[in-house]
Amino acid sequence: MKKIVSILLVFAFFVSALPAQDRTKDFDPNKMRERVKTLSADDFEGRGPGTEGGKRAAQYLADQLKSIGIKPGNRGSYFQNVKLIGVKADPKTVLSVVDKGGKVEGFKFGDEFVATSGTQTAEVSTDAELVFAGYGVDAPQYNWNDYKGDPDQYRNKVLMILVNDPPATASESDLFGGKALTYYGRWTYKYEEAARRGAAGVILVHTTESAGYGWNVVRTSNGSWRYEIARTSEDKTPFLKFKAWATNEAATKLLRAGKLGLEGLKNQAKSRDFKPVNTGLRVKLDIHSDLKSFDSPNVVGTLDGKSAKKKSEYVVFSAHWDHLGVGEPNDKGDKIYNGAYDNASGDAAILGIAEVLAKTPMKDRPDRSFLFLFPTAEEQGLLGAEYYSRHPLIPLNKTAADVNLDGVNFFGKVSDFVALGANRSSIIDQITTAADERKFTIKGDPNPEQGFFFRSDHFPFAKVGVPSVNFQHGDTFLTPPGKEAASFFKDYNAKYYHQVTDEYHDWWDMSAMVQESELALAIGVKLANVSEMPRYKDSDEFAAGDRSRFKK
């Protein structure tokens, strides 16, 4: 008997030591190519939420899920409708600044500032004092508060706020995460905190270094339709009358009207002792907007796991389907923002993963089930994923993890990948194991100062305590990319991100897309098989949300 037990133990060890199952051959690169081409084609009109092209994109994804054999994810439907409000500011809008002597200085929409209404109405008028509020941060854990003094001094004022975190100091190198951006540095937080203070509006000061992208991205992202989740009568969340960005040059000129220097104020804002500065200026801004209300769906599908005990728990694969639609034309007259890399590539990858899993016999499937989620309006502030996190189709305490794909590699196969946010929770173990089995390296965030962790659809999951990762390819290519691919890769942020030039090309390397998709699949499978539900580390900022979801 002892001999039999020993043999069984040796056999078990041998099986566990076998290389991981590589599913590369199960992916169909030709289908992935066709899906990218279809979703990023001109007749999908840049997949803007609420547009005919956006509707066609959502329907296409639903049809693909059905043909693959994925079940509807919302009580018989592939759609979870999200009520959105769209506003499009008149490009003739002028921001005016009035000094103490009544002198008026105007600023041009698009070139010097952009603004959108936060009231979800067609008309908004603001005439309010301007206060420089530093970084606009209230962070008790860092003993930092830019909102000092009488709370009423911010009510109904316009606040000028710097983008990014307050900088680390020589004595506190890890202040606000050191080089890494925290959520306090994100523009979304700046607007949210100012609204909680009762401000009328916010003007964010843009620099390429602080934002992580150029003014061209701000301009194209805000120069057309902007969307928000429609507020209801029960929604008591505070909001701003307007949300604006200004170029650093425009902000400098604006403050000069009050005999103030922007660079001097920036230096003051670097200190905990900073106090908001009343500029003596008034900001006048009348925004007339086109307005529309519409439903735009999250596309959802499910696939059952094999375990009777665990199939009620789900691993989520997500990739947003939307892009910027039709907007400001470039110098060649092209005005369709096709979004091939961002994020038709991610959609094609998730469909490929779904197809491989759907073809897997039930006896060979992972224990937990899968939810395939294609959120809407990611480009407008992660709205579809935010809505899903508030109205989950799978209870949060039954949601094991989210693996998000936003921009999948088509440049060439690599040996390294980046798993943004994975080290915050136990999912780092499954990710590292899957990578090690394939002899891949998992690297840290190469640009932590740009806050990519907060900029895609995994983040709303993180905020409600679901372990989440934004999975990205690295840059250690097994073979040097071709000329076109190398150019696209090198110049992506400057020339392609949120531009009409983000288009599909026949030189796309589908083997690279399959490589990344296969690793993402392997990670999802391991998360679906791990014995205990993944959890955030106790020290992480999202641990409270993690604990909360299991109390419900």
Side-chain angles (χ1 to χ4, degrees), residues 10-170:
V10 170
F11 177 75
F13 173 80
F14 176 74
V15 170
S16 67
L18 286 174
Q21 183 182 16
D22 189 322
R23 305 295 298 270
T24 299
K25 62 180 177 55
D26 297 327
F27 284 84
D28 188 332
N30 293 324
K31 279 188 179 179
M32 294 180 76
R33 184 183 296 276
E34 286 306 311
R35 286 164 177 157
V36 171
K37 288 175 68 175
T38 299
L39 285 164
S40 61
D42 280 357
D43 58 356
F44 276 55
E45 300 173 340
R47 305 189 306 278
T51 67
E52 290 303 313
K55 293 176 185 177
R56 285 195 290 273
Q59 187 62 56
Y60 172 80
L61 290 168
D63 291 343
Q64 288 291 301
L65 290 174
K66 183 177 181 180
S67 68
I68 287 169
I70 302 299
K71 297 188 298 184
N74 186 17
R75 291 171 291 184
S77 174
Y78 287 102
F79 302 119
Q80 180 191 39
N81 282 326
V82 182
K83 179 71 73 176
L84 296 176
I85 296 291
V87 292
K88 183 180 181 182
D90 186 342
K92 297 179 182 177
T93 297
V94 174
L95 184 149
S96 299
V97 175
V98 184
D99 67 15
K100 293 178 180 179
K103 183 180 177 181
V104 178
E105 181 125 35
F107 296 83
K108 186 178 179 182
F109 190 96
D111 292 340
E112 295 180 293
F113 84 101
V114 291
T116 185
S117 167
T119 62
Q120 299 189 356
T121 58
E123 306 288 341
V124 61
S125 182
T126 305
D127 183 350
E129 296 176 15
L130 177 68
V131 175
F132 179 79
Y135 286 90
V137 168
D138 182 6
Q141 68 269 47
Y142 295 112
N143 189 29
W144 192 287
N145 184 14
D146 290 324
Y147 291 97
K148 297 181 181 69
D150 182 359
D152 286 338
Q153 68 179 305
Y154 311 106
R155 192 167 302 280
N156 299 319
K157 303 295 198 315
V158 174
L159 308 184
M160 179 177 283
I161 296 176
L162 303 175
V163 176
N164 217 316
D165 291 319
T169 65

Side-chain angles (χ1 to χ4, degrees), residues 2-16:
K2 289 183 179 179
K3 184 176 181 180
I4 294 175
V5 171
S6 297
I7 292 172
L8 289 174
L9 289 173
V10 170
F11 177 75
F13 173 80
F14 176 74
V15 170
S16 67

Side-chain angles (χ1 to χ4, degrees), residues 165-177:
D165 291 319
T169 65
S171 60
E172 293 181 286
S173 60
D174 62 344
L175 184 64
F176 288 95

Side-chain angles (χ1 to χ4, degrees), residues 246-530:
T247 67
N248 194 70
E249 293 76 16
T252 299
K253 183 170 70 171
L254 188 158
L255 290 169
R256 196 180 296 135
K259 296 182 170 49
L260 295 167
L262 177 58
E263 293 307 311
L265 291 174
K266 285 182 179 180
N267 285 330
Q268 292 181 41
K270 295 176 181 179
S271 168
R272 277 196 177 90
D273 298 329
F274 168 80
K275 294 181 180 179
V277 177
N278 293 311
T279 65
L281 301 169
R282 297 190 69 84
V283 169
K284 293 187 176 182
L285 182 63
D286 296 324
I287 305 177
H288 170 75
S289 301
D290 293 332
L291 191 71
K292 60 183 178 182
S293 174
F294 57 91
D295 287 337
S296 183
N298 292 330
V299 182
V300 288
T302 62
L303 183 74
D304 289 340
K306 71 178 181 184
S307 170
K309 182 179 179 180
K310 293 185 177 179
K311 71 177 182 180
S312 64
E313 300 172 352
Y314 287 75
V315 172
V316 181
F317 281 108
S318 58
H320 73 91
W321 63 256
D322 67 295
H323 200 55
L324 299 181
V326 178
E328 186 176 336
N330 67 358
D331 55 4
K332 296 180 180 178
D334 187 357
K335 58 182 180 180
I336 297 177
Y337 289 70
N338 304 84
Y341 179 60
D342 182 14
N343 187 34
S345 65
D347 298 331
I350 298 296
L351 289 172
I353 291 169
E355 191 162 28
V356 172
L357 287 169
K359 289 180 178 179
T360 303
M362 181 60 76
K363 66 182 180 63
D364 297 325
R365 286 186 192 171
D367 290 339
R368 292 186 177 89
S369 300
F370 293 93
L371 174 74
F372 303 98
L373 173 65
F374 301 88
T376 183
E378 187 269 356
E379 303 291 7
Q380 305 295 327
L382 320 182
L383 301 184
E386 181 71 26
Y387 184 87
Y388 181 91
S389 73
R390 300 179 194 174
H391 307 88
L393 300 176
I394 305 300
L396 294 178
N397 63 357
K398 295 289 186 180
T399 305
D402 172 50
V403 179
N404 186 66
L405 297 179
D406 192 354
V408 174
N409 183 17
F410 57 78
F411 307 102
K413 294 169 73 172
V414 295
S415 63
D416 59 337
F417 292 86
V418 177
L420 296 177
N423 58 350
R424 294 172 175 269
S425 71
S426 63
I427 65 175
I428 187 62
D429 297 332
Q430 287 74 49
I431 291 171
T432 301
T433 300
D436 287 346
E437 290 170 345
R438 289 156 178 78
K439 295 181 171 51
F440 296 149
T441 301
I442 296 296
K443 300 197 307 185
D445 186 353
N447 304 109
E449 71 281 2
Q450 295 188 15
F452 286 115
F453 177 73
F454 310 107
R455 290 167 57 175
S456 197
D457 285 324
H458 61 294
F459 182 55
F461 281 92
K463 287 198 296 182
V464 293
V466 176
S468 307
V469 60
N470 190 39
F471 190 56
Q472 297 179 338
H473 60 88
D475 57 5
T476 307
F477 294 98
L478 301 182
T479 302
K483 181 179 178 181
E484 297 92 344
S487 176
F488 198 112
F489 182 80
K490 175 178 177 290
D491 297 328
Y492 176 70
N493 278 343
K495 295 183 179 180
Y496 301 97
Y497 177 53
H498 284 193
Q499 305 300 311
V500 298
T501 45
D502 182 3
E503 298 177 311
Y504 165 80
H505 298 278
D506 287 337
W507 53 259
W508 277 32
D509 184 347
M510 302 314 294
S511 70
M513 286 195 69
V514 169
Q515 182 196 45
E516 183 170 344
S517 302
E518 198 277 332
L519 178 55
L521 167 63
I523 290 168
V525 168
K526 288 188 179 297
L527 291 168
N529 280 329
V530 69

Side-chain angles (χ1 to χ4, degrees), residues 178-214:
K179 184 180 179 183
L181 185 73
T182 72
Y183 189 56
Y184 293 112
R186 287 287 290 147
W187 57 269
T188 48
Y189 167 81
K190 313 286 187 179
Y191 289 147
E192 292 162 0
E193 186 62 35
R196 287 190 283 268
R197 303 285 171 165
V202 167
I203 301 173
L204 298 180
V205 180
H206 173 271
T207 67
T208 298
E209 180 183 14
S210 63
Y213 39 76

